[in-house]
Amino acid sequence: MKLKRFISLILVIFCLVTLFSSCAPSSNKNDLWSDATYKEDKEFGSGEKTLYVKVVAEDKNVTFKIKTNAKTVGEALLEHNLVSGEKGAYGLYVKTVNGIFADYNKTKSYWAFTKNGENLTTGVDGEEFKNNDRYELVYTKQ
């Protein structure tokens, strides 16, 4: 009789643990930052000019301080593997920034390239920068 109660108690505990563990928050694959390479501000390089690039996705952001001798924002970002994408008719189509993927054809999302909050008419590889310029790459979803 005691053995049956013990086994019943173990089964009840097992069922409760299973029930509550299924209610626990799981890692949300929809969280863009789960794939991010850097989750905190970071400094790169040792060149003569400094470039700041803020990466914004959802309600989080990181800023990269890049010391470089590159002429364009794209060169500086590629130099440190901070972006990747495909070459197209208008230059580099940035699909991944800091490990976070955006592709309009697949997810209706893209990386907006801005300077001081204003959209730019050039892509990252066509934008020449001056010392201490600040740019943003903003994950945008439609």
Side-chain angles (χ1 to χ4, degrees):
M1 192 64 156
K2 286 184 181 183
L3 182 60
K4 285 184 181 181
R5 284 187 189 175
F6 178 74
I7 292 173
S8 296
L9 180 62
I10 296 297
L11 286 173
V12 168
I13 291 171
F14 176 77
C15 289
L16 288 173
V17 167
T18 304
L19 175 68
F20 288 118
S21 67
S22 67
C23 294
S26 60
S27 65
N28 184 358
K29 193 56 184 162
N30 293 330
D31 177 21
L32 295 173
W33 286 90
S34 65
D35 294 328
T37 306
Y38 303 101
K39 295 179 171 84
E40 296 180 5
D41 295 353
K42 181 110 172 111
E43 188 172 325
F44 299 90
S46 59
E48 294 180 16
K49 293 191 296 185
T50 301
L51 164 70
Y52 296 89
V53 179
K54 184 177 186 179
V55 177
V56 180
E58 295 175 330
D59 59 347
K60 299 177 187 171
N61 65 75
V62 295
T63 299
F64 299 134
K65 178 180 180 180
I66 305 168
K67 295 182 177 239
T68 183
N69 293 321
K71 287 186 177 185
T72 68
V73 175
E75 285 177 57
L77 292 169
L78 288 167
E79 182 176 71
H80 299 287
N81 298 312
L82 298 172
V83 299
S84 65
E86 297 174 355
K87 287 283 187 184
Y90 302 104
L92 180 66
Y93 171 39
V94 175
K95 290 188 173 187
T96 304
V97 176
N98 187 32
I100 302 171
F101 179 76
D103 183 346
Y104 192 81
N105 293 326
K106 293 182 181 180
T107 61
K108 299 293 183 216
S109 60
Y110 62 94
W111 287 102
F113 182 46
T114 65
K115 182 176 183 182
N116 302 319
E118 299 289 324
N119 286 327
L120 296 171
T121 57
T122 59
V124 294
D125 56 350
E127 179 68 18
E128 292 188 15
F129 68 94
K130 295 181 181 97
N131 193 37
N132 292 316
D133 275 354
R134 295 179 178 273
Y135 293 87
E136 305 85 27
L137 285 162
V138 181
Y139 180 89
T140 306
K141 186 161 179 137
Q142 301 216 336

